[in-house]
Amino acid sequence: MLGIARRRLGSGCALGQLMQALRPAAAAAAARTYSAAAKEVSRFDEPLLLPPLLYPWARCSGDAIGKRAASMTVREALNSALDEEMSADPSVFLMGEEVGEYQGAYKISKGLLDKYGPDRVLDTPITEAGFTGIGVGAAYQGLRPVVEFMTFNFSMQAIDHIINSAAKSNYMSAGQINVPIVFRGPNGAAAGVGAQHSQCYAAWYAHVPGLKVLTPYSAEDARGLLKAAIRDPDPVVFLENELLYGESFPVSAEVLDSSFCLPIGKAKIEQEGKDVTITAFSKMVGYALQAAEILSKEGISAEVINLRSIRPLDRATINASVRKTNRLVTLEEGFPQHGVGAEICMSVVEDSFEYLDAPVERIAGADVPMPYAANLERMAVPQVEDIVRAAKRACYRAVPMAATA
């Protein structure tokens, strides 16, 4: 990455000097010994059973290919997307804490340092404000940085660069400056990490004109949307979920093709239905599908929409579904006030109010900082049974909450 920057910018410029100053600190950080690394047992360390001609980094046997070739974890999907985009475009580079020598805190960047070298996979010091600013400056000059936050909670240290520098520059320059940068990392609640490491930032960043906000659920989402984000000329906030990294999803030959890319701003109907629409994103899509299966046994046909993109929001798909089912349940794990569900509800009220046969049901995280205790944490995050109850209320299959108060 530094080599590219020198050729594009010249070593005498401010950005080049910053990058050169960063290298010794990054090298010092990389020299640390991670004793836990040898003990770590990760699903990513298992043999990756995908066609070796498509994925030369995969370890697989001929017998195994037929068994698991049709599935891929979210971790593998993200890794392969980064690998292919870096291979296709030398201006793409990855930077962040522990992305190189340690191969990523969640092993998303495994193998990339060996393949592309420290100029394009850059370990940074623990200074989000610093390396995010460097990434935005590199994007100003035509490079395509992928900035990894170990958790999006840490992006608050760099939020000025993300919003005031990246998001607004195209508008403030009358379209003369593009900022092709991706900010990616785990978002939302994990497990037992407390209030300061459990926030969902979908609504935060979706509030800002100039940003695109993507929220993958499956391996197909992760692979196709990350490729789209890297190729996009504008800044993209890419919100992953730590608990989904090890989840395996079926993938088609089309998804495995290096040219595969998903459109930004287009939702996916994961399951068709006729009685109630359930909108969800990221990990909550899986919960919605589980709830839909339970509802089907009780005669309720639920349509599940995987939003994929929070900004831009696919209002057309949402409204078309509501006009068919006449009922809506919105689902998110973030705080309820000014949330994604509130925006979806308003969109339906504006465009499809006369089609509603029941009040909109909104399911969100509790309006409190995330508790640390496991039992309280579960109560603070939406559960499958919450979705089932809300869908029944919308379909008048249960006693309204007000009647039981």
Side-chain angles (χ1 to χ4, degrees):
M1 183 268 287
L2 290 176
I4 299 171
R6 292 191 194 102
R7 289 194 295 273
R8 294 281 185 90
L9 310 175
S11 60
C13 72
L15 179 59
Q17 292 170 2
L18 277 172
M19 290 173 142
Q20 290 175 11
L22 183 63
R23 174 55 60 77
R32 290 179 294 177
T33 300
Y34 297 94
S35 59
K39 302 176 184 178
E40 180 176 357
V41 178
S42 170
R43 289 185 63 179
F44 192 67
D45 291 327
E46 297 175 2
L48 179 60
L49 305 180
L50 293 170
L53 294 180
L54 288 175
Y55 298 96
W57 43 262
R59 303 188 305 276
C60 58
S61 65
D63 293 339
I65 291 176
K67 297 178 182 178
R68 286 183 55 195
S71 68
M72 177 182 261
T73 67
V74 170
R75 178 183 287 112
E76 293 161 355
L78 294 168
N79 178 272
S80 66
L82 282 168
D83 184 10
E84 290 173 6
E85 293 305 301
M86 292 179 72
S87 177
D89 186 348
S91 69
V92 178
F93 67 91
L94 176 66
M95 66 190 306
E97 297 157 3
E98 299 182 351
V99 299
E101 294 290 339
Y102 194 53
Q103 305 195 74
Y106 301 97
K107 300 298 178 278
I108 303 301
S109 54
K110 185 169 185 176
L112 299 184
L113 176 63
D114 291 341
K115 185 171 184 178
Y116 298 103
D119 279 352
R120 295 184 64 196
V121 182
L122 184 61
D123 278 319
T124 67
I126 304 174
T127 168
E128 283 79 11
F131 66 74
T132 303
I134 290 175
V136 173
Y140 281 168
Q141 299 296 327
L143 300 180
R144 291 184 175 271
V146 178
V147 175
E148 177 178 311
F149 296 117
M150 197 175 292
T151 162
F152 252 92
N153 298 274
F154 299 158
S155 74
M156 294 178 70
Q157 301 291 328
I159 202 165
D160 181 61
H161 292 302
I162 296 170
I163 293 177
N164 282 328
S165 298
K168 299 178 182 178
S169 291
N170 184 262
Y171 179 85
M172 294 178 69
S173 68
Q176 297 180 76
I177 299 176
N178 286 108
V179 190
I181 187 170
V182 178
F183 306 102
R184 54 156 295 269
N187 168 73
V193 292
Q196 294 172 321
H197 297 79
S198 299
Q199 294 180 163
C200 175
Y201 287 88
W204 287 55
Y205 287 115
H207 185 67
V208 181
L211 289 179
K212 296 175 182 176
V213 181
L214 305 181
T215 54
Y217 159 63
S218 64
E220 176 181 324
D221 292 354
R223 184 167 157 77
L225 290 175
L226 184 55
K227 282 174 163 284
I230 294 173
R231 298 174 190 180
D232 199 87
D234 298 311
V236 178
V237 172
F238 196 85
L239 303 175
E240 302 156 12
N241 186 279
E242 176 185 341
L243 299 181
L244 287 176
Y245 284 147
E247 291 294 317
S248 184
F249 294 88
V251 290
S252 64
E254 179 188 6
V255 173
L256 295 177
D257 191 275
S258 61
S259 64
F260 177 71
C261 187
L262 288 173
I264 292 176
K266 182 63 178 174
K268 178 186 179 184
I269 298 178
E270 295 282 351
Q271 176 175 307
E272 294 190 356
K274 60 183 179 61
D275 294 328
V276 61
T277 297
I278 304 175
T279 63
F281 60 92
S282 191
K283 184 178 67 174
M284 291 293 109
V285 176
Y287 283 30
L289 290 170
Q290 292 178 51
E293 184 176 355
I294 295 171
L295 290 166
S296 68
K297 297 175 182 177
E298 301 190 29
I300 297 175
S301 174
E303 181 150 294
V304 177
I305 298 179
N306 172 7
L307 296 175
R308 281 182 169 172
S309 175
I310 307 301
R311 186 182 185 105
L313 187 64
D314 190 354
R315 301 172 193 274
T317 294
I318 296 168
N319 278 278
S321 178
V322 170
R323 292 184 181 196
K324 177 176 67 171
T325 66
N326 309 116
R327 295 170 176 85
L328 172 64
V329 176
T330 70
L331 173 62
E332 62 188 305
E333 67 176 48
F335 301 130
Q337 185 161 324
H338 310 303
V340 175
E343 178 64 25
I344 291 172
C345 177
M346 194 63 221
S347 175
V348 170
V349 167
E350 289 174 339
D351 297 335
S352 305
F353 180 74
E354 66 274 20
Y355 288 87
L356 287 172
D357 288 343
V360 174
E361 294 280 347
R362 178 177 62 169
I363 304 174
D367 198 20
V368 296
M370 180 65 72
Y372 178 73
N375 58 330
L376 297 179
E377 181 183 62
R378 188 180 190 282
M379 294 174 65
V381 178
Q383 302 296 325
V384 173
E385 54 265 30
D386 300 323
I387 310 167
V388 172
R389 284 194 295 265
K392 286 183 176 180
R393 286 194 300 270
C395 295
Y396 301 111
R397 297 288 189 90
V399 179
M401 286 190 298
T404 60

